[in-house]
Amino acid sequence: MARKNVFEVSPDVNEVEPVRVQPQLGRPLLGLERPIRPASPVGAISQSLENINSRAHRADEIEKKLAEGLVIVELDTALIDGSFVVDRLGIDSEDQSSLVDQIREHGQQVPILVRPQPDSEGRFQVAYGHRRLAAAKELGRTVRAVVRDLTDEQLVVSQGQENNSRTDLSFIERSFFGARLEDRGFSREIIMASLGVDKAALSRMIALIKRLPPELIEAIGAAPSLGRLRWAELADMLEEKGKRAKALKVVQQPDFLSQKSDDRFQAVYTELKTRNLTNPTEAKSWAPEDKTVCVVAKTRPKGVSLDITKAEARPFADWITGNLDSLYEAFRKSKQEN
């Protein structure tokens, strides 16, 4: 699948051609305005003193590489923070182990995208590439990265589009990510651009998230094999009396998190479905002395149904239907009297 790349960052190091640029007399990447002085005896002494400060030294090294025209730089993983909005609901250990092995054998083929950390000079923040960053940390290597000055809006759009182009995130992860962005005040237009969905689809995604307890979503995780219909069915069951508490009790079991994410979803779903079959409804019945009619009122999560049987069922039902106005008025008067 072709990668969406709104910031024109090359997705593959093999496609990156060095662009020679003139050295910059400053450190715009890290926001350090102090100019770099030309080489001289005094300048050499100043440089030696600067090397005492490890942060300034690292900045010099990064800027040197950028001045030489390299688009991709090597960064210490200890200097990189995660995005301010997490898009993943956990990382599958087997998938991550496979990525680590791949990078160990072939190197990091695709750079990550970072921006200078707005709140901490000398640090960076990931737009996308969290798994590659984690793999580099595990291997004790530097990570190859493209550095761009990004606004918050540009970061989340880049983060979302990168994952969309890789079909990396599951339905619930994308929906949860969208809801988190809205909670942080991002406009629907920015969220739609990030997720690559239209207004109607985004509304459905966020509406579904609001029906699900966040702690339940985070406990179940990505559930990569499951789409909107299964999550919507789970949300419907959670609206039944007592089901939300039962679902949260399931995820608190000691062995729950040891299961695969899809299996965790199924464990919650099966528990709620099983209980629903054993106690489907609360029913009350009524019949006159001659037993010519029988009415059973069944209470369900979203309403009450009347089941009328026996010989007089049809005419009695017709009579009720024809007298609903007077019956409802009598009902309202009884409430006022009570």
Side-chain angles (χ1 to χ4, degrees), residues 266-282:
Q266 191 60 45
V268 175
Y269 181 91
T270 300
E271 177 68 12
L272 298 186
K273 196 73 173 179
T274 301
R275 297 294 180 87
N276 189 47
L277 290 174
T278 55
N279 298 293
T281 59
E282 179 183 350

Side-chain angles (χ1 to χ4, degrees), residues 49-102:
L49 294 174
E50 286 181 353
N51 288 342
I52 297 174
N53 187 319
S54 60
R55 181 184 301 173
H57 180 66
R58 288 193 295 266
D60 289 341
E61 291 296 319
I62 294 170
E63 291 298 338
K64 180 181 177 181
K65 292 181 180 181
L66 290 176
E68 291 173 352
L70 296 179
V71 176
I72 300 173
V73 297
E74 303 279 344
L75 294 177
D76 184 347
T77 59
L79 297 177
I80 305 175
D81 303 317
S83 171
F84 59 86
V85 183
V86 178
D87 52 15
R88 293 186 180 276
L89 292 169
I91 298 177
D92 184 272
S93 58
E94 292 182 6
D95 290 345
Q96 187 64 17
S97 178
S98 176
L99 178 61
V100 170
D101 292 340
Q102 180 182 350

Side-chain angles (χ1 to χ4, degrees), residues 106-303:
H106 302 290
Q108 181 192 341
Q109 298 298 312
V110 182
I112 68 174
L113 176 64
V114 302
R115 71 171 179 177
Q117 174 64 269
D119 302 323
S120 182
E121 185 178 287
R123 298 190 64 80
F124 303 89
Q125 188 174 56
V126 180
Y128 60 71
H130 290 82
R131 292 181 58 211
R132 280 163 277 168
L133 175 61
K137 285 183 178 180
E138 184 173 338
L139 293 169
R141 301 181 179 182
T142 57
V143 66
R144 311 190 77 193
V146 174
V147 181
R148 290 286 184 269
D149 285 313
L150 305 173
T151 64
D152 287 352
E153 289 79 7
Q154 289 172 326
L155 185 143
V156 299
V157 169
S158 178
Q159 182 178 351
Q161 289 191 351
E162 166 71 3
N163 286 320
N164 289 337
S165 68
R166 289 171 168 269
T167 62
D168 240 356
L169 299 184
S170 67
F171 166 80
I172 198 65
E173 284 181 309
R174 296 175 72 234
S175 301
F176 202 39
F177 180 52
R180 283 173 164 173
L181 291 179
E182 185 169 71
D183 290 342
R184 294 183 70 97
F186 287 93
S187 69
R188 286 287 177 102
E189 287 73 19
I190 290 294
I191 303 172
M192 286 188 290
S194 176
L195 296 176
V197 297
D198 59 24
K199 186 176 182 179
L202 179 60
S203 295
R204 289 193 297 268
M205 294 165 78
I206 292 180
L208 178 58
I209 292 299
K210 291 180 178 179
R211 299 174 60 202
L212 296 162
E215 58 269 39
L216 179 64
I217 296 174
E218 292 172 342
I220 291 176
S225 300
L226 304 169
R228 185 182 67 85
L229 292 179
R230 292 298 301 279
W231 280 100
E233 190 175 354
L234 182 64
D236 288 340
M237 289 192 288
L238 289 172
E239 292 181 0
E240 300 177 28
K241 184 178 180 180
K243 291 298 179 68
R244 180 173 295 227
K246 291 174 183 176
L248 295 177
K249 186 175 181 180
V250 173
V251 304
Q252 293 170 0
Q253 297 299 317
D255 60 342
F256 182 78
L257 294 179
S258 65
Q259 304 176 73
K260 291 275 193 179
S261 181
D262 284 341
D263 295 334
R264 294 199 292 267
F265 177 95
Q266 191 60 45
V268 175
Y269 181 91
T270 300
E271 177 68 12
L272 298 186
K273 196 73 173 179
T274 301
R275 297 294 180 87
N276 189 47
L277 290 174
T278 55
N279 298 293
T281 59
E282 179 183 350
K284 295 181 180 180
S285 62
W286 171 89
E289 292 183 2
D290 59 7
K291 307 298 184 183
T292 55
V293 69
C294 179
V295 180
V296 178
K298 296 180 180 179
T299 303
R300 293 186 169 88
K302 295 184 178 181

